[in-house]
Amino acid sequence: METVSKWIASWRLKSWRTAAVAALLFYTLTGFVVVPWVVKSLVVKTVREQVDREAGLERVAFNPFTLVLTMEGFSLPDRPGSTLLSFDELFVNLQASSLFTWTATVEELRVQGPYVALRRFEDGKVNILELMESLETDEVDDEEGGGLPRALLRKIRIVDGRVEVESLVPEEPLLWELTPVNLSLNNISTLPGEEGDNLFTLGTPNGGEIGIDGTVVVEPLGLEGSVSVERMPIETVWRAVKDKFEFDLSSGSFATDLDYRIGVEEDGVHVEVLDAELRIRDFGFQTLDADTELLKADAITISGADVHWPEQRIRVDSLVVEGASAFAWIEPDGTPIWMTLVPEPTQKQVADAYRYVDDRVDLDAELDLFELRGATAAFEDRTFSESVRIAVSEANLRVTDIATRPNSVWRFETSAVFAGGAQASADGSFSAIPLVLDAEVALADLELSRFQPYVEKFAPLEVRAGVLHTDGSVHVEPSPDAPDVTFSGALSVNRLDLDETVTDDTLIGWGELDVTGIQAALAPTSLGVEQVEVRGAGLEITVAEDGTINLLEFLKVLSEGDSTDASEPKADAEAGGGLPPVQIASLRLHDCYGLYTDKTTADPFRMNLRSINGTVSGIATEANSTADIDIDGALDGYGLLSFQGELDLFNYARLTDFDIDIYDMALPFASPMSVKVIGHPIESGRLTLDLDYNITDQQLQATNHIELSHLHLGDKIEGEGTIDAPFKLGISMLKDSDGRITLDIPLEGNLDDPDFIARKAVMAAAGEVTKELVKSPFRMLGRLVGGGAEDQELEFVDFEVGSASLGTNATANLDTLAKALKQRPTLRLEIDSVVDRRADAEVLKQTDFERELATRQTAAEQSEATTDRTPLETMFVERFSAANLESVRAQYRSAEDSELDDDSYTALLRSRLVETQPVDEARTTALGLARAEAISSFLQDQAGIGSTRLGIRPQPSESPAIAGRVRTRLEVTADG
């Protein structure tokens, strides 16, 4: 204390001590008072001058002894009412040694609670861009600086920082906060080659964290280290673009680890990302109403990624997607859902961005392996009344050697399971630039009924069942309008069952279908096939209650190219309508079947055709194409069938020319049809049929050649039969002595005529033939024996009036008729009892009178009567009287000589007596029967016709005599 007192006592006002104290006081006041004021004023002024903003700075402190500068409460607005940049505290600790080493040394630079906002305002402008526009743009001469000043920053810290990304545009609102932001840099030096280190961490919303560490070289600039991202919600990034889409992120987070190198070389900044790994977990998108999940992936992993810039080179070891699922659909109006989910403005922005990048970036990318594991997908086509859903599960895809270089070839293999258990696979190569694909594909156990809505767009068919298998090669290459896609291979279909939807009947069923030599193409669609092998197939032809035939109705609609409305013909009907070009060189049938069903009978009639074998060649949908048909088969237990000819399958009315032959078909099975058509059941008989049908430009010309043997019909069933004709008689007329019938029935008509139905036309033609036979049976019988006998009136036998004796002409006709009857053993002859009661009675009176007169004359001669007139006069007196006789005498006695005119007198007596001659009615009836008996006896005794084939109608019928002859009619009937 005494020392201090002595030191003060020795103080002189003007001395080095006073100067030192004064300097210390000045330094202290300047440091603690002046420097903070100057710094604060300078910061506010500089901000005002440079960016035209009023910065806020609450407090500045400086310790001149520790060289520590502290700034608190700084804020910089972007617009009134909002902040662009702020921090709670800026701490700078300078090292005094820097004054002596010519190196500015900062022991510590710490920013506490910094805040940065990237904001887009309601008018669409961005705060940072506005700030940059307000900065002075005077250029600085880089050459004057001579490089960076010598500086050393031992510790740089950013603590508890916060970054906000905000959009105030009403249509695209956004608030994205990143916190906490922490940065640690150590030993950052501008001295050449001096190395420091860094550690940067950044927190994201929902708990994500970004970490960066490594080394830092300022001169020349070089950064090297690693980056780690953990638990980063994808929502953090998605919020920046979600307003541009009509779907939303449902979940997802990602993490990454990578090494980096950043350096400045003579040609600019070089950036390398090495051995990067990106892991995305529980990633998915959903519709805005959260009702439908659009895309989901359990895990997406990118491994071994290297990025080099500005070389624009990317190399990735693998990209693996696990547990992915996707769902898409087409709206009822045909709009794909992705066109709705990605609005047109966004599509344009994406396209513009792609073009922008494509113009400026020439990326060389390689991916050694892309793998999709255990994926599922579903697609719905809602353009149909009931949505069509196609689902895929267990989808796996492996692609190797992926590269963006032109003509690079990528190898791939894939497999999947369709709903219903179908297995699909493909193995091949793919080139993206240009688009070229070559692959071997296979598909097994695909249930075709799932694709029924698409089938009915092309043809009026319902696929009720069918399993598809196929394998082959697919080739895709570029073409001017659309990619040229072709398929070469084979397919098979099992258990196919098709119903045509025109009449709703089963049309085709398959046991097995094998197709080889397929050449199919898209854009335009075409199909070529070398060989089709069909085993156990069935064609089921049905005649509906109204007489229409399902096959013809189906072909009619098919040729018009419209599966829904057969009443509206298409302009291109001749070219196969709406069908794509199809050519099948050969179709072979093996042990197939056919089923004919006629629903016009009381109980549906069915006829089964089995063991069908043969070929159909030259099938094509192009205009005026003709298929050659050669098919054989057997009717189930009833006979054999052959079908040969030419047919335009898709426009049968243009050209049909075929011959159908049926051999030795037993007929009793067809009794339901015969009862329906002719009213008689078939008790026995066999049929051989030759049908020749020709259709040219709608005009039908056909011949039905029929041979029947031992045909016998049962009795007519009342109320049955659509054709009213005596078929039993017709059959008997046609049946020869061996029991055979040969018949040719022509048929013609125009298919354009809505009233023309082929089946009905055939039946009508058969009916006309039968009616003609019945109408002129004796003419037909005359033809059998020839020699002009058909011109003889064999159905009549003439008798003299009053006589039952056969004349020469009558016996000649009966001889001819007998010969014909012997050739038609099932015919029976009915003989009328015919009389002309008046004419025959007159003859019988004359005959009876003459007989009685002759008797009386004989008696008179024996009694020696005086004159020949005595019997006449006696008979006259008996019938009239003596007075009447005397009166007659007086009429014929001369007045001069009383002589009697004997001839005239006698003639009058005869005439009066004949008139009054009595005739019994039974005598006239007996005359008719006698005539019939005379005919019957002659045919039996003289011609050898059995009595069982002859019948006499006992009730006489009247027939007026012509030229003194009474005509007896004969009638032919069926025996039994």
Side-chain angles (χ1 to χ4, degrees):
M1 187 67 179
E2 182 178 354
T3 302
V4 173
S5 298
K6 290 181 178 180
W7 185 82
I8 294 175
S10 64
W11 191 290
R12 297 289 184 270
L13 184 60
K14 294 182 177 180
S15 66
W16 65 270
R17 294 180 180 178
T18 300
V21 170
L24 179 60
L25 290 174
F26 177 79
Y27 176 76
T28 301
L29 289 174
T30 300
F32 281 103
V33 178
V34 177
V35 169
W37 178 81
V38 171
V39 170
K40 182 175 182 180
S41 298
L42 184 61
V43 169
V44 172
K45 178 181 179 182
T46 301
V47 170
R48 183 185 301 117
E49 291 176 351
Q50 294 295 323
V51 297
D52 193 23
R53 301 283 195 280
E54 287 296 328
L57 185 58
E58 296 179 359
R59 177 176 176 271
V60 178
F62 179 70
N63 188 331
F65 300 107
T66 59
L67 297 181
V68 173
L69 175 67
T70 304
M71 299 172 57
E72 297 178 355
F74 175 81
S75 65
L76 175 66
D78 46 19
R79 288 187 181 182
S82 63
T83 301
L84 170 65
L85 174 66
S86 69
F87 56 78
D88 296 337
E89 179 186 71
L90 173 64
F91 177 85
V92 181
N93 184 4
L94 300 173
Q95 252 189 5
S97 61
S98 61
L99 300 175
F100 307 104
T101 60
W102 301 98
T103 299
T105 303
V106 177
E107 182 66 27
E108 182 179 6
L109 172 63
R110 182 176 73 249
V111 182
Q112 184 73 36
Y115 167 81
V116 177
L118 303 177
R119 185 175 293 111
R120 183 169 62 165
F121 298 105
E122 291 87 340
D123 57 7
K125 294 185 178 181
V126 179
N127 60 353
I128 294 296
L129 298 180
E130 283 189 333
L131 180 67
M132 295 177 64
E133 290 174 357
S134 63
L135 288 172
E136 293 185 0
T137 58
D138 295 339
E139 295 185 1
V140 178
D141 188 355
D142 293 337
E143 293 182 0
E144 293 181 359
L148 294 174
R150 296 167 62 88
L152 174 62
L153 289 78
R154 296 193 181 278
K155 294 181 181 179
I156 300 176
R157 303 287 186 269
I158 295 177
V159 181
D160 291 334
R162 182 163 60 97
V163 177
E164 281 189 359
V165 179
E166 183 178 17
S167 173
L168 301 177
V169 177
E171 295 81 7
E172 303 176 8
L174 175 67
L175 179 59
W176 182 24
E177 183 179 64
L178 301 177
T179 186
V181 178
N182 295 289
L183 173 65
S184 175
L185 297 173
N186 300 314
N187 299 319
I188 304 303
S189 174
T190 62
L191 299 178
E194 291 293 327
E195 183 180 280
D197 61 74
N198 68 81
L199 176 63
F200 174 78
T201 61
L202 171 65
T204 66
N206 301 318
E209 183 177 298
I210 300 174
I212 303 175
D213 62 13
T215 60
V216 179
V217 176
V218 177
E219 184 62 32
L221 180 63
L223 304 174
E224 185 174 347
S226 62
V227 177
S228 175
V229 179
E230 298 294 337
R231 302 179 305 279
M232 175 69 77
I234 298 178
E235 169 68 16
T236 303
V237 180
W238 172 249
R239 292 179 62 186
V241 296
K242 65 180 295 184
D243 58 287
K244 299 183 181 298
F245 300 93
E246 294 299 321
F247 58 90
D248 199 3
L249 184 76
S250 58
S251 60
S253 65
F254 71 89
T256 186
D257 294 299
L258 60 87
D259 296 331
Y260 68 89
R261 284 201 294 263
I262 302 174
V264 177
E265 300 181 11
E266 292 182 357
D267 57 350
V269 178
H270 284 248
V271 179
E272 292 182 352
V273 175
L274 305 173
D275 198 24
E277 181 174 298
L278 174 65
R279 301 173 298 279
I280 300 176
R281 298 292 183 266
D282 193 27
F283 173 66
F285 290 104
Q286 63 188 9
T287 54
L288 294 179
D289 58 11
D291 283 347
T292 305
E293 186 175 81
L294 301 171
L295 181 65
K296 186 74 173 178
D298 294 340
I300 302 174
T301 304
I302 299 175
S303 301
D306 294 341
V307 181
H308 301 269
W309 190 268
E311 293 85 352
Q312 301 185 36
R313 187 171 70 251
I314 299 177
R315 299 289 184 272
V316 180
D317 287 344
S318 65
L319 192 164
V320 179
V321 181
E322 298 177 273
S325 63
F327 177 60
W329 65 91
I330 294 180
E331 295 288 1
D333 62 359
T335 303
I337 187 57
W338 47 87
M339 299 293 290
T340 302
L341 296 176
V342 183
E344 188 173 343
T346 303
Q347 296 177 35
K348 185 177 183 304
Q349 291 176 7
V350 172
D352 291 344
Y354 174 80
R355 284 192 293 269
Y356 179 86
V357 173
D358 189 54
D359 291 341
R360 291 162 177 77
V361 177
D362 185 15
L363 193 65
D364 178 13
E366 291 183 5
L367 173 60
D368 292 341
L369 171 65
F370 170 79
E371 195 165 1
L372 183 67
R373 300 174 181 170
T376 62
F379 169 78
E380 278 189 7
D381 190 338
R382 299 176 179 175
T383 60
F384 299 95
S385 57
E386 294 186 8
S387 297
V388 178
R389 185 179 180 91
I390 301 174
V392 176
S393 63
E394 300 179 34
N396 297 285
L397 172 64
R398 181 182 176 88
V399 186
T400 59
D401 304 324
I402 302 172
T404 59
R405 293 187 300 275
N407 300 314
S408 62
V409 178
W410 312 355
R411 293 291 308 172
F412 71 90
E413 57 185 72
T414 182
S415 63
V417 177
F418 287 92
Q423 303 280 340
S425 64
D427 185 354
S429 61
F430 174 83
S431 175
I433 307 175
L435 176 62
V436 177
L437 180 144
D438 284 288
E440 296 297 319
V441 297
L443 178 63
D445 300 323
L446 180 66
E447 180 55 60
L448 295 178
S449 60
R450 298 176 179 272
F451 302 92
Q452 164 59 29
Y454 297 100
V455 173
E456 66 188 22
K457 282 188 174 183
F458 293 98
L461 291 171
E462 179 186 0
V463 182
R464 298 173 60 87
V467 180
L468 172 69
H469 311 268
T470 185
D471 61 84
S473 302
V474 174
H475 177 74
V476 180
E477 64 181 35
S479 64
D481 297 327
D484 185 6
V485 182
T486 60
F487 171 80
S488 301
L491 68 81
S492 63
V493 178
N494 298 330
R495 302 185 302 278
L496 182 63
D497 184 7
L498 297 178
D499 278 4
E500 49 83 15
T501 58
V502 180
T503 61
D504 293 326
D505 287 308
T506 298
L507 181 63
I508 299 174
W510 252 295
E512 293 183 7
L513 170 69
D514 294 313
V515 184
T516 57
I518 299 175
Q519 296 292 331
L522 294 175
T525 303
S526 65
L527 174 64
V529 175
E530 291 181 4
Q531 184 74 49
V532 179
E533 301 281 347
V534 182
R535 295 175 176 82
L539 176 64
E540 302 188 16
I541 298 177
T542 302
V543 181
E545 288 83 351
D546 61 358
T548 57
I549 302 174
N550 65 336
L551 177 61
L552 297 183
E553 295 299 310
F554 169 79
L555 292 175
K556 180 179 179 182
V557 173
L558 191 64
S559 66
E560 291 170 351
D562 189 341
S563 64
T564 59
D565 188 356
S567 64
E568 299 181 3
K570 301 295 183 183
D572 59 350
E574 292 185 357
L579 292 175
V582 176
Q583 292 184 340
I584 302 176
S586 177
L587 184 151
R588 296 182 60 84
L589 304 178
H590 304 274
D591 198 24
C592 296
Y593 74 93
L595 179 62
Y596 173 84
T597 303
D598 194 320
K599 297 181 179 179
T600 61
T601 57
D603 294 323
F605 168 73
R606 290 181 172 84
M607 181 172 64
N608 187 25
L609 184 65
R610 58 180 177 81
S611 300
I612 300 177
N613 297 279
T615 61
V616 180
S617 57
I619 300 174
T621 59
E622 62 187 7
N624 301 328
S625 62
T626 301
D628 295 321
I629 303 174
D630 186 359
I631 298 173
D632 296 318
L635 289 166
D636 195 3
Y638 309 121
L640 303 176
L641 176 142
S642 173
F643 186 110
Q644 295 178 326
E646 297 178 329
L647 177 65
D648 187 337
L649 292 173
F650 301 95
N651 189 7
Y652 74 95
R654 180 194 70 84
L655 175 62
T656 297
D657 188 2
F658 63 79
D659 181 12
I660 298 178
D661 294 315
I662 297 177
Y663 307 96
D664 198 29
M665 182 174 74
L667 292 177
F669 85 98
S671 277
M673 286 296 297
S674 68
V675 169
K676 176 190 177 301
V677 177
I678 65 176
H680 294 270
I682 301 176
E683 295 183 350
S684 64
R686 305 191 78 85
L687 168 69
T688 296
L689 189 65
D690 182 2
L691 306 179
D692 292 319
Y693 275 65
N694 180 273
I695 302 175
T696 304
D697 296 331
Q698 305 288 336
Q699 191 64 39
L700 169 66
Q701 295 286 339
T703 299
N704 301 275
H705 179 75
I706 304 170
E707 294 183 9
L708 295 156
S709 61
H710 306 291
L711 176 63
H712 185 72
L713 299 181
D715 293 335
K716 183 76 164 62
I717 299 176
E718 291 300 325
E720 297 290 346
T722 58
I723 300 176
D724 185 15
F727 277 93
K728 290 191 73 172
L729 173 58
I731 290 172
S732 294
M733 294 286 296
L734 294 171
K735 192 180 298 183
D736 62 18
S737 58
D738 295 325
R740 291 192 302 267
I741 295 175
T742 301
L743 187 63
D744 288 299
I745 302 176
L747 176 65
E748 62 180 46
N750 194 302
L751 301 185
D752 279 336
D753 183 355
D755 295 329
F756 179 81
I757 299 177
R759 183 189 63 84
K760 291 183 177 180
V762 171
M763 293 302 177
E768 288 300 320
V769 171
T770 304
K771 288 179 181 179
E772 184 63 26
L773 289 174
V774 175
K775 182 179 178 181
S776 304
F778 289 93
R779 181 178 293 274
M780 179 266 189
L781 292 174
R783 293 194 189 103
L784 293 177
V785 296
E790 69 270 20
D791 296 328
Q792 293 178 262
E793 294 184 317
L794 300 181
E795 66 267 43
F796 300 110
V797 177
D798 292 340
F799 289 89
E800 295 288 340
V801 175
S803 172
S805 298
L806 294 171
T808 302
N809 289 337
T811 57
N813 281 356
L814 289 176
D815 278 333
T816 301
L817 179 59
K819 293 177 183 178
L821 290 175
K822 289 179 179 179
Q823 294 186 37
R824 293 292 182 265
T826 60
L827 288 178
R828 176 181 174 83
L829 195 65
E830 295 291 338
I831 307 170
D832 280 350
S833 299
V834 179
V835 295
D836 183 340
R837 294 192 180 276
R838 186 190 61 80
D840 282 334
E842 291 298 324
V843 173
L844 289 176
K845 286 180 182 181
Q846 183 70 40
T847 302
D848 288 350
F849 167 74
E850 295 295 344
R851 183 182 298 112
E852 183 178 351
L853 178 61
T855 300
R856 287 179 182 265
Q857 286 177 339
T858 301
E861 291 174 356
Q862 292 175 356
S863 64
E864 300 180 356
T866 56
T867 67
D868 293 337
R869 297 192 301 268
T870 300
L872 284 173
E873 292 174 338
T874 302
M875 293 175 64
F876 191 89
V877 170
E878 290 176 356
R879 294 187 187 178
F880 300 101
S881 67
N884 283 339
L885 179 63
E886 189 58 36
S887 176
V888 172
R889 281 176 180 272
Q891 293 178 19
Y892 290 95
R893 182 177 288 121
S894 169
E896 291 84 6
D897 53 10
S898 298
E899 288 291 328
L900 184 67
D901 185 352
D902 191 62
D903 291 338
S904 298
Y905 169 71
T906 303
L908 178 60
L909 292 180
R910 294 177 67 89
S911 174
R912 294 283 298 275
L913 287 172
V914 169
E915 288 178 0
T916 59
Q917 177 70 34
V919 177
D920 189 356
E921 183 72 21
R923 293 260 333 270
T924 307
T925 301
L927 179 60
L929 289 173
R931 289 168 176 165
E933 288 290 349
I935 296 171
S936 177
S937 296
F938 181 87
L939 290 174
Q940 292 181 59
D941 300 338
Q942 303 299 321
I945 301 300
S947 60
T948 58
R949 300 182 59 194
L950 301 172
I952 296 175
R953 292 170 178 161
Q955 186 63 35
S957 61
E958 286 281 343
S959 178
I962 301 174
R965 294 179 179 276
V966 176
R967 174 159 284 184
T968 299
R969 180 181 295 274
L970 307 178
E971 183 180 353
V972 176
T973 64
D975 187 6

